[in-house]
Amino acid sequence: MAASQKPAATTAPAPAKAVANKAVTIPTLANLRAAGEKITMLTCYDASFASLMDRCGVEILLIGDSLGMVCNGHQSTLPVTVAEVAYHTAAVARGSKSAMIVADLPFGAYATPESAFNNAVQLIQAGAHMVKLEGGAWLADTVRFLTERSVPVCAHLGLTPQSVHQLGGYKVQGKTIESADLLKADALKLQAAGASLLVLEAIPTQLGKEVTDLLAIPTIGIGAGPDCSGQVLVMHDLLGVFPGRKARFVKNFMEGQTSIDAAVTAYVTAVKDGSFPALEHCF
Ligand SMILES: Nc1nc(=O)c2c([nH]1)NC[C@@H]1CN(c3ccc(C(=O)N[C@@H](CCC(=O)O)C(=O)O)cc3)CN21
Ligand SMILES: CC(C)C(=O)C(=O)O
Ligand SMILES: [Mg+2]
């Protein structure tokens, strides 16, 4: 066909995503779960990476207390303060357009419902849309106290790194019938108390599936198998720049890529198409 006979394009190409640049909200996450579309979450600590991840379609940016380890070189997350999380949250909020921003309440910041609320206000005022806290049934009253006061909550069960001294290391949780049953009961109590989201860390794949099936709210796994509603990784692990010991659930998405944009896009694609996590990343 001669160039002159080529039919003229009459319409602009459709955008890659119908929802591109639309703010990700709690209903968005519920809709993704209902539609069977996996949710993507990454940790993020600064404005430049927030902009990049937002552009790549990552739905949730987490200002994790892992910042104490990956940004500041501590041996655990325990030294991290509310002021530090708030500082990084403000940077991420300035850099992102549409992603949901979740900030960790650090160790010691939610011992009582009142202190949890006062510290959550610092993070929300810094730009977070939701706060995350680690623990089970003992936190139900705190989750209710926060959500009644319009602070959305993400719960976190399984390997809870703020309890590292009590757990005796970063070990897989929920391996016995008793501990698995306890985790399921905790998940139901946190959901009933108003949690909008639940992170499940380092638990057997079967338990990740059972908890997800049991709950109405989306679950986000890190070493919790492929059946969670979504996945999260620490960005330094995804980029292969964390010098510490590599957990089983970590995959370096820079391998085979020539840019950070491409690595983050590869992560989003792999989570969406179910190829990450693979068996080798699961317990
Ligand atoms: N860079 C980084 N990535 C993380 O995922 C992360 C942090 N930092 N800091 C806070 C916590 C600590 N985390 C960790 C650290 C190590 C393992 C780990 O090595 N786990 C063993 C499990 C051994 C077992 O019980 O069988 C593994 O083999 O994965 C797990 C979670 C997760 N969080
Ligand atoms: C690993 C994720 C879930 C986290 O809590 C963090 O990065 O602090
Ligand atoms: Mg954390």
Side-chain angles (χ1 to χ4, degrees):
M1 198 200 282
S4 59
Q5 290 175 277
K6 199 175 159 197
T10 51
T11 51
K17 269 192 179 176
V19 293
N21 296 326
K22 197 164 177 287
V24 175
T25 62
I26 293 170
T28 312
L29 301 179
N31 290 341
L32 286 171
R33 183 191 161 143
E37 180 173 341
K38 297 293 183 187
I39 298 164
T40 57
M41 179 174 186
L42 281 177
T43 70
C44 189
Y45 315 99
D46 71 34
S48 299
F49 277 104
S51 170
L52 184 152
M53 290 175 189
D54 196 283
R55 190 165 73 233
C56 293
V58 178
E59 278 114 6
I60 311 176
L61 305 184
L62 171 67
I63 298 83
D65 56 355
S66 52
L67 71 87
M69 296 173 75
V70 299
C71 299
N72 294 328
H74 291 298
Q75 288 301 315
S76 75
T77 60
L78 305 185
V80 175
T81 65
V82 174
E84 289 170 337
V85 179
Y87 173 88
H88 289 274
T89 298
V92 169
R94 287 190 286 264
S96 72
K97 282 199 197 114
S98 49
M100 170 173 286
I101 299 172
V102 180
D104 265 349
L105 277 167
F107 177 67
Y110 49 99
T112 65
E114 288 78 8
S115 70
F117 180 75
N118 291 335
N119 289 317
V121 167
Q122 301 305 305
L123 302 182
I124 299 286
Q125 290 184 336
H129 305 125
M130 184 180 291
V131 300
K132 180 163 79 60
L133 32 71
E134 300 179 4
W138 73 273
L139 275 174
D141 288 343
T142 299
V143 172
R144 192 169 290 105
F145 194 89
L146 293 177
T147 54
E148 279 174 342
R149 288 160 183 76
S150 303
V151 176
V153 172
C154 175
H156 181 159
L157 291 172
L159 197 182
T160 47
Q162 290 173 20
S163 307
V164 61
H165 297 317
Q166 221 157 19
L167 297 175
Y170 298 119
K171 296 176 183 169
V172 179
Q173 302 297 306
K175 289 204 285 188
T176 65
I177 292 171
E178 299 74 45
S179 62
D181 285 347
L182 188 61
L183 192 149
K184 285 189 251 183
D186 283 345
L188 284 171
K189 285 174 192 165
L190 294 163
Q191 173 178 265
S196 300
L197 205 56
L198 172 63
V199 165
L200 293 169
E201 179 165 351
I203 60 171
T205 293
Q206 177 62 26
L207 181 57
K209 174 171 171 40
E210 286 174 14
V211 174
T212 302
D213 291 345
L214 194 61
L215 297 187
I217 59 173
T219 60
I220 308 291
I222 174 166
D227 303 307
C228 297
S229 319
Q231 298 291 326
V232 60
L233 270 185
V234 169
M235 61 162 279
H236 292 64
D237 293 337
L238 173 139
L239 298 175
V241 296
F242 182 64
R245 194 186 169 282
K246 214 173 113 176
R248 185 174 167 87
F249 51 72
V250 166
K251 179 173 173 179
N252 178 357
F253 280 88
M254 265 313 277
E255 275 171 17
Q257 307 296 340
T258 53
S259 72
I260 291 172
D261 256 283
V264 172
T265 299
Y267 168 74
V268 170
T269 302
V271 171
K272 296 284 183 191
D273 73 17
S275 57
F276 179 80
L279 268 180
E280 64 197 284
H281 308 117
C282 299
F283 299 107

